[in-house]
Amino acid sequence: MEVRAVTLDTSALSELEELYQRGLHLIDEEARNHLQKYHHRVDSVRGLIGRFLPRMLLKERGVSPHEMRFSKTLAGKPYISTPLETPVGFNITHDNGVVAMAYSVGADLYPDPPAYRIGIDVMLLQLPKRDTFPGFVEVFSDQLTELERNVLLPPSPAPRLSSHEELRRFFLIWTLKEAYTKALGLGMGFDFSRIEYDVPNDIVRIDGTIPSGWEFTRFELWNAVQSGQIENYVGVVARFVGEDILSEPRVQPASSTGWLKVQEAQEFLSVAIRELGERKRG
């Protein structure tokens, strides 16, 4: 399993406009119309990158652009419907200036097609304006367990966490809940309080029990923007590996240097347009 991420500066989208317009001509009319309906350009650009990520993965595996086919489950989870000798499962996420894709291939993929149980979520460590952290947690209180609330807001006499650690813990909890439900391919309506992430101990429980056959990996990435600010993101990948496989019961940090590959949006779009352009020419 690996993760590929594309970073962009949401305050400098004009630099990507030409590439965005060129890229629109490489996707089908339905997808193009969908992207053009977004009110904010950043959503359209992220959507285009999200469509190109799995297509570039297929291109690397020898699939020509005109043979690439994608479908969705009844719950709306996308999957590759192109016939492949070696199966590929993937999932896409985006937040602010990051679009990311987790994927598994072949023997690394549990055989439960068509969408496979793999999910990813990523979020920027940022508190909404004019909000306090205790107030922010309260908004989501009914979707957190009692343990999670205590992990985020330690009861007295324990000292309060640093601002960075508060946000890190909250968004790790939230991205894990999102990644797990996305791996299951579920739509809206899943009760997030059924999922519990004890961040200090890196333990996950579903309905009070450590889930069998699941693998969770947490990661961080950074995005430098023109203002000089460095955006800090956290994310989690959830993957079902099979109950007959002895999986690590704890959430694991991404340890391999090649596990997470990050590319800047301008470079990624330029390469994708060049590599996928044969679809238009063909």
Side-chain angles (χ1 to χ4, degrees):
M1 180 183 69
E2 293 183 6
V3 171
R4 296 185 182 183
V6 178
T7 59
L8 62 150
D9 185 344
T10 59
S11 67
L13 291 176
S14 59
E15 298 178 2
L16 300 176
E17 184 63 22
E18 180 184 354
L19 290 169
Y20 167 73
Q21 294 296 339
R22 290 169 59 193
L24 284 179
H25 294 290
L26 301 181
I27 58 178
D28 60 82
E29 184 178 1
E30 181 181 355
R32 183 163 58 249
N33 290 338
H34 177 77
L35 292 181
Q36 290 176 323
K37 286 181 180 179
Y38 283 121
H39 181 68
H40 299 290
R41 177 63 88 217
V42 64
D43 295 317
S44 302
V45 173
R46 288 188 303 222
L48 182 66
I49 293 170
R51 280 171 168 77
F52 279 170
L53 276 167
R55 286 166 173 79
M56 287 296 289
L57 183 61
L58 289 179
K59 186 68 166 57
E60 293 167 9
R61 303 187 69 78
V63 180
S64 63
H66 70 273
E67 294 176 319
M68 298 176 186
R69 299 289 183 272
F70 295 84
S71 301
K72 290 184 178 181
T73 64
L74 292 177
K77 184 176 183 180
Y79 63 90
I80 297 167
S81 52
T82 302
L84 300 172
E85 289 186 10
T86 304
V88 177
F90 76 97
N91 193 234
I92 301 287
T93 186
H94 63 77
D95 186 52
N96 283 273
V98 169
V99 184
M101 173 183 70
Y103 68 95
S104 288
V105 177
D108 193 41
L109 190 64
Y110 185 78
D112 56 351
Y116 301 99
R117 276 178 279 181
I118 181 170
I120 182 173
D121 196 59
V122 65
M123 294 195 79
L124 173 65
L125 300 190
Q126 178 176 273
L127 192 66
K129 293 180 180 179
R130 298 182 296 278
D131 210 345
T132 65
F133 186 72
F136 181 61
V137 172
E138 181 60 31
V139 171
F140 298 95
S141 182
D142 63 343
Q143 299 174 74
L144 301 170
T145 68
E146 181 179 1
L147 180 147
E148 288 171 333
R149 291 191 292 270
N150 289 336
V151 160
L152 297 171
L153 299 170
S156 180
R160 181 169 175 173
L161 303 171
S162 68
S163 297
H164 179 270
E165 182 62 13
E166 286 178 340
L167 293 175
R168 190 188 77 89
R169 289 189 181 190
F170 177 86
F171 286 112
L172 278 174
I173 288 171
W174 198 259
T175 54
L176 185 138
K177 291 172 187 273
E178 289 278 8
Y180 177 71
T181 54
K182 290 177 70 180
L184 292 175
L186 300 176
M188 300 294 290
F190 190 90
D191 183 0
F192 271 12
S193 67
R194 293 174 55 191
I195 309 167
E196 180 177 83
Y197 182 12
D198 179 353
V199 178
N201 295 302
D202 272 325
I203 294 176
V204 178
R205 298 180 183 88
I206 311 296
D207 296 327
T209 302
I210 295 176
S212 176
W214 283 88
E215 177 184 274
F216 299 93
T217 307
R218 55 178 169 83
F219 63 94
E220 290 190 57
L221 61 87
W222 293 263
N223 180 29
V225 296
Q226 287 186 356
S227 65
Q229 180 184 1
I230 305 294
E231 298 176 336
N232 187 190
Y233 293 78
V234 296
V236 172
V237 179
R239 181 174 65 131
F240 186 72
V241 296
E243 295 184 0
D244 57 336
I245 297 178
L246 184 61
S247 58
E248 172 58 53
R250 296 181 184 272
V251 179
Q252 296 296 302
S255 55
S256 170
T257 54
W259 186 88
L260 173 63
K261 298 178 180 178
V262 183
Q263 195 172 14
E264 194 275 330
Q266 191 164 23
E267 179 187 6
F268 172 78
L269 286 171
S270 297
V271 173
I273 289 169
R274 183 176 67 248
E275 294 292 319
L276 301 174
E278 68 177 70
R279 177 174 185 175
K280 183 67 174 178
R281 296 192 298 270

